[in-house]
């Protein structure tokens, strides 16, 4: 998947029935997530996709 990372992402979280209800807004579109675990997976994917600067000589 070659989806470009969002320039802005808003996250809304609130407790519902003893669990977290999470809604994210990216590129003007809202998405309800399956919970905080799904939010963590999305953030991990975004972190892994970003390019890191080269460090040191290789």
């Amino acid at each position: 998947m070659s989806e470009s990372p969002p320039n802005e992402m808003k996250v809304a979280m609130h407790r519902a029935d003893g669990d977290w209800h999470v809604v994210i807004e990216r590129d003007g579109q809202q998405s309800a997530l399956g919970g905080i675990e799904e939010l963590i997976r999305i953030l991990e994917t975004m972190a892994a996709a970003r390019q890191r600067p080269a460090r040191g000589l290789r």
Side-chain angles (χ1 to χ4, degrees), residues 11-40:
V11 179
M13 299 172 54
H14 68 273
R15 298 286 282 179
D17 299 327
D19 201 4
W20 285 101
H21 177 76
V22 182
V23 177
I24 61 171
E25 183 180 329
R26 293 187 284 186
D27 301 324
Q29 295 185 357
Q30 288 187 354
S31 300
L33 303 182
I36 198 165
E37 295 85 3
E38 190 173 348
L39 174 62
I40 291 169

Side-chain angles (χ1 to χ4, degrees), residues 5-6 9 11 24 26 33 35-52:
M9 183 170 87
V11 179
I24 61 171
R26 293 187 284 186
L33 303 182
I36 198 165
E37 295 85 3
E38 190 173 348
L39 174 62
I40 291 169
R41 282 193 296 275
I42 288 171
L43 294 174
E44 287 175 337
T45 301
M46 290 173 66
R50 72 175 195 171
Q51 287 186 336
R52 297 190 177 141

